[in-house]
Amino acid sequence: KGKGKGKGKGKDGGKDGPLDGEEQAPKEEPNFEASGLLGLEDNSKNGVPLKFTMPPECRLPPMKWRIYIFAKQEEKPKIVHVHRMLGILFGKDRRVADIPTDHPTCSKQQAVLHYRYMPEMGMVNPYIMDLESTNGTFLNGKRLEAARYYEMRERDVLKFGMSSREFVLLHAGSANHMKIDPSKLLSDSE
């Protein structure tokens, strides 16, 4: 076998066509539609795909917002300055989370806080969205619907899953009910 007198044209004598009794499968045409792979690559952090995309109306806030994290009653809260970031991701995956939740009932990507510009109000306000977490995100004790933005206000309290930690949104003038010149509350970019 393999030592025939043929010129290497195969069983069908080199004709372009199906073999006896076989139908040729149609050739797949090239598909130039968007696959989403480039978008996925752009929407990842440290190689981990993010469950959200940055909304087009996302802006840096003019107010100096902070999140105070209360873990235990007797300890001082941890303060995170969040006015410097467009989006703040809460979750237990420390590779991607900006603010780790560190509780077994929290999802790897639990929720995201964005500052969104609302042209009808002419303001940039903070909004929170639950990222379809298993045990939920709670704003002032009420569970949020997944994948929907909720406006946040000063002194709002966030809780995630069954965690007892409280994440309180305040700005520079909120502390101790101090009277502060409103221009001092604005971030340096304003």
Side-chain angles (χ1 to χ4, degrees):
K1 287 192 170 187
K3 294 184 180 182
K5 295 180 183 177
K7 308 269 190 216
K9 295 181 181 176
K11 290 182 182 177
D12 61 353
K15 296 181 225 163
D16 291 335
L19 298 175
D20 294 337
E22 290 183 26
E23 287 186 27
Q24 187 172 1
K27 184 178 176 183
E28 186 175 336
E29 295 294 320
N31 182 357
F32 298 109
E33 295 293 321
S35 67
L37 292 176
L38 287 175
L40 180 64
E41 190 174 306
D42 283 349
N43 196 34
S44 65
K45 186 174 180 181
N46 296 330
V48 178
L50 297 176
K51 290 184 173 183
F52 66 93
T53 56
M54 203 68 69
E57 66 275 6
C58 206
R59 306 280 188 282
L60 283 174
M63 296 284 273
K64 292 182 180 177
W65 289 104
R66 301 170 180 174
I67 291 188
Y68 289 71
I69 304 169
F70 294 91
K72 296 180 179 144
Q73 293 289 11
E74 63 275 356
E75 287 184 17
K76 284 188 174 183
K78 179 180 178 184
I79 302 169
V80 181
H81 296 268
V82 293
H83 65 277
R84 301 173 185 143
M85 300 180 271
L86 285 173
I88 298 95
L89 178 63
F90 297 87
K92 68 178 181 182
D93 187 351
R94 287 183 170 263
R95 293 176 298 167
V96 294
D98 298 306
I99 300 178
T101 52
D102 294 335
H103 196 270
T105 62
C106 293
S107 298
K108 290 180 181 179
Q109 296 181 42
Q110 179 84 24
V112 66
L113 186 142
H114 284 133
Y115 298 102
R116 300 173 66 199
Y117 175 71
M118 295 296 151
E120 60 273 3
M121 296 184 288
M123 296 172 61
V124 178
N125 292 327
Y127 284 80
I128 189 78
M129 177 173 63
D130 178 74
L131 297 173
E132 299 176 342
S133 62
T134 305
N135 293 309
T137 298
F138 299 86
L139 177 61
N140 298 326
K142 295 181 183 173
R143 186 174 179 147
L144 302 181
E145 256 183 70
R148 184 167 172 243
Y149 280 109
Y150 290 85
E151 184 177 359
M152 291 188 71
R153 301 192 187 276
E154 180 187 7
R155 296 189 181 99
D156 276 353
V157 179
L158 287 170
K159 289 182 92 172
F160 303 108
M162 311 290 178
S163 175
S164 61
R165 283 187 185 174
E166 293 184 342
F167 299 78
V168 182
L169 182 71
L170 297 170
H171 58 68
S174 304
N176 302 325
H177 306 288
M178 296 186 312
K179 297 286 184 196
I180 296 179
D181 178 16
S183 65
K184 302 262 191 225
L185 299 176
L186 298 177
S187 61
D188 298 332
S189 63
E190 294 295 313

